[in-house]
Amino acid sequence: MKRNPARREETRASLLDAAARCFAGQGYDATGVAEICDCAGVSKGAFYYHFASKQAIFIALAEAWLVELDESLNSAGYVEGSAPDRLLAMSAKFQELLESQQERLALILEFWAQASRNPAIQQVVLAPYRSFQDFFVGLIGDGIAEGSFRPIDAVAGGQVMLSLASGLFFQGLLDPMGADWSSTTEKCLRILLDGMRSDK
Amino acid sequence: MKRNPARREETRASLLDAAARCFAGQGYDATGVAEICDCAGVSKGAFYYHFASKQAIFIALAEAWLVELDESLNSAGYVEGSAPDRLLAMSAKFQELLESQQERLALILEFWAQASRNPAIQQVVLAPYRSFQDFFVGLIGDGIAEGSFRPIDAVAGGQVMLSLASGLFFQGLLDPMGADWSSTTEKCLRILLDGMRSDK
Amino acid sequence: MKRNPARREETRASLLDAAARCFAGQGYDATGVAEICDCAGVSKGAFYYHFASKQAIFIALAEAWLVELDESLNSAGYVEGSAPDRLLAMSAKFQELLESQQERLALILEFWAQASRNPAIQQVVLAPYRSFQDFFVGLIGDGIAEGSFRPIDAVAGGQVMLSLASGLFFQGLLDPMGADWSSTTEKCLRILLDGMRSDK
Amino acid sequence: MKRNPARREETRASLLDAAARCFAGQGYDATGVAEICDCAGVSKGAFYYHFASKQAIFIALAEAWLVELDESLNSAGYVEGSAPDRLLAMSAKFQELLESQQERLALILEFWAQASRNPAIQQVVLAPYRSFQDFFVGLIGDGIAEGSFRPIDAVAGGQVMLSLASGLFFQGLLDPMGADWSSTTEKCLRILLDGMRSDK
DNA sequence: ACGAGCGGGACCCCCCGTTGAT
DNA sequence: ATCAACGGGGGGTCCCGCTCGT
């Protein structure tokens, strides 16, 4: 039981990790602090040293997710090609992202549900959403400028993209076996793209 | 304290109503049975006579919502005109429906969050979703048959419609002031329709 | 385990009694609700059915004490004789009262200590104190009117009486073996009376 | 983080000071060690280096208060004049003392309450009380010897003085706005003196 | 069909004290 | 001498569900 100063981050990380698993598995309310601590192998004293409350660790989790998402977005967004191609590439990235974080999906719904009631969480959850939308809006604007999209309302376009993404996401979460979500996503995206493309 | 047989349904209804308000306002977990009872003006004895548990009244609520939704869908779906027109008409109906039940929207997210964890609730919540999708699929099939839509994958088409609808819905719930959701919805729908229409 | 409606008061009384014992014995803060419940032989459910909080039962206790005190005061105050005689009679009553409630004395100090920090309790604790003072002031006023006391400031006189009483009380609580409090009290009172008497 | 040997006393003093403020402001039980440390700007490690426990710092505080009181008593007691005059002079000193330490008054009640339960604290709190009483007894003895007081029981006389003082003190603490305590105190003292004076 | 009262069981929070390291 | 980090252990609160009694 060393007390290295490096131990600090280790404990904090294991708490965050345990909390993510518990929240995802049973929901925010159904998860007890004691459970998180057991799961992380630390004491409640350690928990409340690192986080002020259960809500605090939840928000910390949301913020960590935000950062990860942003990085993933940035790395995915800067590909070459026309706007439609880039969108299709995004689709694949999106799929990868969902599959790679299968376990965290439930956590995201948890974020959502809590956010609808708690302004502090709402702030945190809304941010990445908006950055997503800005990204889409920019991309569609590019597409219109380069002539591959008709001159539609770019903001509305971003909105559709985002709504489609989140809608598919939530459905996939609730009904995992309902369809082949990977191919469904692509089909949906193609229909949408057809609605925006200038050539036809 | 009459023993009117009619009293029974009255109490039950007032419990359901109170539960709907409480769940919508504070969430499932944060709402206590005692609170529902206070809100309905009855005692816990009455509650547990009518419902086996807190979850039971939640499911009863979901089922009632399902029925209402189904009726609303049926009455909205059987309008005259071409498939695209009927979809646009749906959009308006959808808007009306959202606005008229402003208060219950939070409840739906609550259903969703619970459903992702509880199979019993999942069954109930998923059902109207699928009936929605079937409706859309049928409508798109009609559109293809009558020539107003290109021969796209009807199932995928239904999926986009549904995803778009739920995506817009969730965003509107989380970010009520983020946009003029009424006009946004229509713009989005038009883009989507353009992606499916045969004439262009 | 009957559920007679009479059982209600029984439970409530046993809770109040247990709380009085615990608070007196270990202090307000050191006493746990669980301890009170164990001591009363009821569950925490019962406790929180009857009282909203630990503070609530504490206040209820203070109020009960107030009522008792008031009755005791009234029964003691209406004796015959001159004002000085009545004061001396009071002294004896006071002694009886202290001795008969030996166990509650610590509770009163507890009231005091809590009252200095909590306005809600302060209100309750201050009330009997003032009624005591009013009583003394009236009595001294009578004495001045009948000529047995010099025309001193009746309010100040009431104040001395009260201060003397409470001072003796607190000392007796803290230092039970320090003196023969019964005779000390009388001696003190006589000195005080000599300061107010007109004849000398 | 120097290793100055002077640093030691500095830390100790700031802990004592912080503890006094916290205890006075919120009470012994409601004050956490962490709070004291924050308030003093040191960590718990430092606290537990200087004091063995929360109770230990409380006792240290009481002892410091005792010393201060004793000094204040000695400096006030050795004035010239007759016994009654010296008592009246005391009254003024008493008033000054109360007003100058306004903030610590609550702390004294805290001492009292704890003392009634904890023998260790009781010893410490009782000591200055007795030295007060001895002082009064001596003073009254002087007064009797010099003929300004009637030959009353000096011990009882000291008791009245002390009871009056502590009674007024506690009332003033609980009901700060209830009266003009400064003039009330003097009036009370005069009544008492009249009870002891030989001339009349 | 409904009401009052009660039984336990955690949950979140926080707290006191310690320990390895400096 | 001081500190960050941590170990456990309840504290008050409240909740869900049951059981009598009507």
Side-chain angles (χ1 to χ4, degrees), chain A residues 153-164:
Chain A
D153 182 338
V155 173
Q159 198 66 252
V160 215
M161 299 296 309
L162 201 55
S163 294
L164 180 63

Side-chain angles (χ1 to χ4, degrees), chain B residues 101-157:
Chain B
Q101 308 207 342
Q102 195 78 314
E103 296 146 7
R104 295 202 204 171
L105 297 187
L107 190 53
I108 296 176
L109 186 55
E110 207 60 36
F111 285 148
W112 217 267
Q114 297 291 325
S116 73
R117 219 111 43 203
N118 187 321
I121 296 180
Q122 194 174 33
Q123 291 306 318
V124 177
V125 171
L126 224 52
Y129 225 77
R130 289 192 166 137
S131 97
F132 253 127
Q133 182 167 6
D134 289 345
F135 174 80
F136 281 130
V137 169
L139 217 160
I140 291 172
D142 291 352
I144 295 173
E146 74 189 28
S148 39
F149 287 148
R150 291 184 294 110
I152 59 173
D153 182 338
V155 173

